[in-house]
Amino acid sequence: MENWQKHITINPEIRSGKPCVIGTRLTVFDVLSYLASGMSIDAIIEDFPQLDNEKIIAVLSFAA
């Protein structure tokens, strides 16, 4: 399982303390919602170039 701690942060001053991908304002919920709606990982990375495969796997690991 991916070490999500190096990619996910919780800061009460960013997005009301929701877990976010480090260096972005994208929440774990945002990324999971994109995946659940049918977006591919490649499409998400194309729309959000600050993400990569490793960060998306970290989101999935965090959610698990």
Side-chain angles (χ1 to χ4, degrees), residues 42-62:
D42 290 335
I44 295 170
I45 292 170
E46 186 175 320
D47 286 351
F48 303 98
Q50 64 270 39
L51 297 179
D52 56 29
N53 282 331
E54 189 175 352
K55 290 176 182 168
I56 293 175
I57 297 300
V59 165
L60 293 169
S61 294
F62 178 86

Side-chain angles (χ1 to χ4, degrees), residues 12-63:
E13 296 182 15
I14 299 174
R15 299 288 304 264
S16 301
K18 295 177 183 170
C20 293
V21 178
I22 289 178
T24 74
R25 294 182 57 83
L26 289 166
T27 66
V28 167
F29 180 79
D30 294 335
V31 177
L32 292 174
S33 294
Y34 297 136
L35 291 168
S37 73
M39 282 183 79
S40 68
I41 290 175
D42 290 335
I44 295 170
I45 292 170
E46 186 175 320
D47 286 351
F48 303 98
Q50 64 270 39
L51 297 179
D52 56 29
N53 282 331
E54 189 175 352
K55 290 176 182 168
I56 293 175
I57 297 300
V59 165
L60 293 169
S61 294
F62 178 86

